[in-house]
Amino acid sequence: MVNTMGRLGDAFWRAAAYCLHPRVIALSLLPLLIAASTTVGLAYFFWEAAVAGVRGTLESWLLIESLLRWLDSMGGEGFRSVVAPLLVIVMAVPVVLIFSLLLVALLMTPSIVTLVAERRFPTLERKRGSAWWQGLLWSLLCSAGALLLLFLSMPFWLIPPLVLVLPPLIWGWLTYRVFAFDVLAEHASAEERKQLMREHRLPLLSMGVISGYLGAAPSLIWAVSMMAVVLAPFLVLLTVWLYTLIFAFSTLWFAHYALNALAELRARTVVVPEAPPVLEELPSPPTLLPPAL
């Protein structure tokens, strides 16, 4: 246990230091630009329609309409005008988060793993146990599962303790499944990857949960005040930027830990060549003496 904690801590601080590497900073710009431009473009074209649709849906529900009228009578007239935009933001943030994670996994992870391998594990053999399309398919399937779990768990977010537990756990599971697969895809064989993900499931899941809590932190920006709705365009850019930084750090953390675990696995399983079998000496043929004269 102590050894595992030491490995996690060592990989953590190495990942934090690598975040300042010029190559990592340069690599983070492309996912940031793609995610930010896509998010702002979708908000520009579909924001008003999405808010109008959510508002119409809420007004068609008698229970919600009664609650809003009660709030109006209690002096909360302003809540009616912001509840629909806030719900749109709540539903959009998980999509933005997963979109940012996929961009980092596709555009940054291979280069980050190469950087870590070149600097720490230059002699580590690349067995290429997974093709790029397998990593993409794996990421999409895990992301779809995480989105489904998020939407199914939303009713439980109304219970105060669970809102602090369920989303980070789901993000943690997603981060663990995606990054552990991607950082081992180039260097590990399929059998080695499965063995490492099985033997190190708990440490990798712990890293994913911590990354999940870090990934959930930018969402708190939207809970600061009602001004979040007014400042939405700027907060979207800030949120995407924070997501990109956090996922880049998570990739580095997983890369340092997983590649080190792979190197240790191969060191344990070095095949010692067997000595050639010793041939049993055959008895020498009897010496034929010439007949006595």
Side-chain angles (χ1 to χ4, degrees):
M1 182 65 180
V2 176
N3 192 22
T4 300
M5 294 300 295
R7 292 175 183 173
L8 287 175
D10 178 73
F12 181 93
W13 292 115
R14 288 179 184 273
Y18 272 59
C19 284
L20 303 177
H21 195 281
R23 192 190 301 183
V24 175
I25 296 174
L27 288 171
S28 66
L29 296 179
L30 183 57
L32 173 61
L33 291 176
I34 294 176
S37 59
T38 302
T39 304
V40 172
L42 291 175
Y44 179 81
F45 288 104
F46 300 105
W47 171 261
E48 294 183 0
V51 172
V54 172
R55 183 178 290 115
T57 302
L58 293 177
E59 291 175 352
S60 65
W61 293 351
L62 295 179
L63 180 60
I64 300 297
E65 180 62 22
S66 301
L67 177 61
L68 292 175
R69 289 178 181 175
W70 177 78
L71 289 174
D72 291 342
S73 64
M74 298 296 292
E77 296 87 353
F79 185 77
R80 178 185 289 270
S81 61
V82 298
V83 63
L86 283 177
L87 285 176
V88 173
I89 292 172
V90 167
M91 291 185 290
V93 164
V95 179
V96 173
L97 190 151
I98 291 181
F99 183 53
S100 302
L101 184 145
L102 289 177
L103 285 176
V104 170
L106 293 174
L107 301 178
M108 290 187 66
T109 298
S111 298
I112 285 179
V113 172
T114 300
L115 174 65
V116 174
E118 289 175 351
R119 294 173 66 92
R120 283 196 68 193
F121 310 99
T123 60
L124 193 63
E125 181 186 358
R126 301 187 178 208
K127 295 189 176 180
R128 295 178 173 87
S130 302
W132 68 268
W133 63 266
Q134 292 175 308
L136 176 60
L137 180 60
W138 177 264
S139 299
L140 291 175
L141 290 176
C142 292
S143 300
L147 275 177
L148 179 62
L149 290 175
L150 278 172
F151 284 113
L152 291 178
S153 66
M154 276 185 176
F156 298 99
W157 296 7
L158 300 176
I159 305 174
L162 295 183
V163 72
L164 301 176
V165 176
L166 291 179
L169 282 179
I170 297 173
W171 295 135
W173 175 83
L174 176 61
T175 305
Y176 147 63
R177 301 292 287 179
V178 171
F179 285 153
F181 187 99
D182 286 346
V183 299
L184 292 171
E186 179 71 13
H187 289 79
S189 64
E191 293 75 16
E192 289 174 332
R193 185 187 69 248
K194 294 175 182 177
Q195 182 177 350
L196 288 173
M197 293 183 70
R198 182 175 62 253
E199 292 180 354
H200 297 265
R201 180 180 290 110
L202 184 57
L204 292 173
L205 182 58
S206 301
M207 294 165 61
V209 171
I210 295 173
S211 300
Y213 275 101
L214 293 175
S219 303
L220 299 177
I221 297 174
W222 301 95
V224 174
S225 67
M226 296 300 180
M227 288 298 293
V229 177
V230 180
L231 301 175
F234 304 100
L235 294 182
V236 165
L237 296 177
L238 178 60
T239 302
V240 172
W241 177 64
L242 291 176
Y243 283 152
T244 304
L245 290 180
I246 290 170
F247 289 140
F249 166 78
S250 300
T251 304
L252 285 164
W253 194 10
F254 275 88
H256 279 287
Y257 184 91
L259 292 183
N260 185 54
L262 177 61
E264 292 181 354
L265 173 65
R266 290 182 181 174
R268 294 198 314 264
T269 56
V270 172
V271 179
V272 179
E274 297 181 358
V278 178
L279 298 177
E280 184 179 356
E281 294 185 1
L282 297 176
S284 57
T287 304
L288 296 178
L289 297 176
L293 295 175

